[in-house]
Amino acid sequence: FQPTWRTHGDRRFLPSSGYLLALQTADSNPKPTGSTFFSFLPKLRPGAPFSTTRQEMPFAESHNLTQHRHWLMKSEPESRFENGVDMKFGIEDLKALPGQSSCWDGVRNYQARNFMRQMKEGQLAFFYHSNCKEPGIAGLMTIVKEAYVDHTQFDKKDAHFDASSKPDNPKWSMVDVQYQRMMKRFLPLSELKKHHLQHRAHGGPLKDMALFTKTRLSVQPLTAEEFDFLLSLEDKEPL
């Protein structure tokens, strides 16, 4: 079976089926990403106008169709050993490195990997301390190198070794980040959750924040509204 495609910008249509396969983004001035994401959208009645919004799509589809510019990236600031390797890497560790920069390796979740592949040089990310006594946003960092092959997947001594990944077809990617600054005050998860619950009940930028809707995701996209609101909290008294 060879389908007959029609194209419109970054979208491709199967006219005979009434389905739209959305590629990349519905935003203006779309830019290609390192990966192509497909999402089947609702079937149309013959002759019916196509209309959908990201709010109508599940998290994965809607975010994969968006060109994000802000991020939240989780790491563990307290010692935890895995296969004899200490997984500790907090914002103070990043700040202490030469050039205050490091690769962000060890991501072994496909959606988190795909988000890293969307990252562009110069974009900002919150450094989030996770799996610790007081999780929360500790500071800001900048993406200084876009996605490339994560070498730790091939290192048998590394905690993130993946025997199923091959050098000629690597599964995992990483980016390089550079310390930007500490937050004016640490933003604890407990405070962020209060805002999230308020916004979910009454409306607000954190109502659908991935930190609470996709809790296990270590690399998360932020909307401009989410990023600006979170940044504004450092100048306010805790809720």
Side-chain angles (χ1 to χ4, degrees):
F1 171 69
Q2 291 293 325
T4 301
W5 294 95
R6 293 184 185 176
T7 60
H8 179 71
D10 284 330
R11 293 178 171 181
R12 301 181 72 190
F13 296 82
L14 277 174
S16 59
S17 70
Y19 282 97
L20 165 68
L21 276 176
L23 301 187
Q24 311 299 342
T25 178
D27 292 342
S28 59
N29 301 319
K31 297 179 181 179
T33 64
S35 299
T36 301
F37 300 96
F38 297 85
S39 72
F40 282 95
L41 303 180
K43 192 169 184 178
L44 308 178
R45 300 187 309 275
F50 172 77
S51 175
T52 191
T53 65
R54 290 191 190 90
Q55 288 72 26
E56 296 168 346
M57 302 180 196
F59 175 87
E61 284 85 349
S62 64
H63 282 271
N64 283 340
L65 293 175
T66 302
Q67 291 295 316
H68 297 284
R69 294 176 176 83
H70 305 93
W71 309 92
L72 182 146
M73 303 171 75
K74 298 180 181 179
S75 189
E76 302 179 34
E78 299 173 3
S79 288
R80 179 180 67 84
F81 287 86
E82 187 174 319
N83 297 331
V85 178
D86 192 352
M87 309 305 291
K88 177 181 179 295
F89 187 72
I91 194 167
E92 292 289 354
D93 298 300
L94 175 63
K95 185 179 179 181
L97 289 173
Q100 299 184 321
S101 62
S102 173
C103 60
W104 197 272
D105 59 17
V107 172
R108 296 297 182 265
N109 172 280
Y110 285 107
Q111 190 173 14
R113 178 206 66 182
N114 291 343
F115 283 137
M116 285 204 302
R117 289 180 176 180
Q118 293 183 32
M119 292 177 178
K120 301 299 179 185
E121 185 178 342
Q123 292 180 343
L124 292 175
F126 286 116
F127 196 122
Y128 182 92
H129 283 173
S130 66
N131 197 24
C132 56
K133 293 179 182 177
E134 187 174 33
I137 296 175
L140 280 166
M141 53 189 179
T142 306
I143 309 303
V144 293
K145 185 175 181 179
E146 296 174 14
Y148 61 105
V149 175
D150 180 349
H151 62 275
T152 64
Q153 64 195 298
F154 309 124
D155 184 355
K156 293 182 179 180
K157 296 181 181 180
D158 194 274
H160 299 111
F161 171 67
D162 184 352
S164 68
S165 185
K166 307 302 178 185
D168 60 346
N169 187 26
K171 289 183 178 181
W172 307 109
S173 303
M174 61 184 180
V175 296
D176 286 358
V177 299
Q178 186 174 47
Y179 171 84
Q180 184 77 17
R181 67 175 177 86
M182 303 293 289
M183 301 299 289
K184 294 177 183 177
R185 68 177 182 88
F186 184 80
L187 302 179
L189 175 62
S190 56
E191 178 185 345
L192 300 179
K193 188 171 183 178
K194 291 178 183 178
H195 287 289
H196 165 68
L197 292 174
Q198 284 187 356
H199 292 183
R200 190 173 66 177
H202 306 292
L206 301 192
K207 63 184 180 67
D208 296 318
M209 187 180 177
L211 183 62
F212 303 102
T213 61
K214 300 287 287 186
T215 57
R216 296 185 63 83
L217 197 60
S218 65
V219 177
Q220 303 177 355
L222 295 171
T223 65
E225 292 77 16
E226 289 170 342
F227 180 85
D228 290 342
F229 181 84
L230 292 170
L231 199 60
S232 74
L233 292 179
E234 66 178 355
D235 293 314
K236 300 176 182 177
E237 291 296 320
L239 187 64

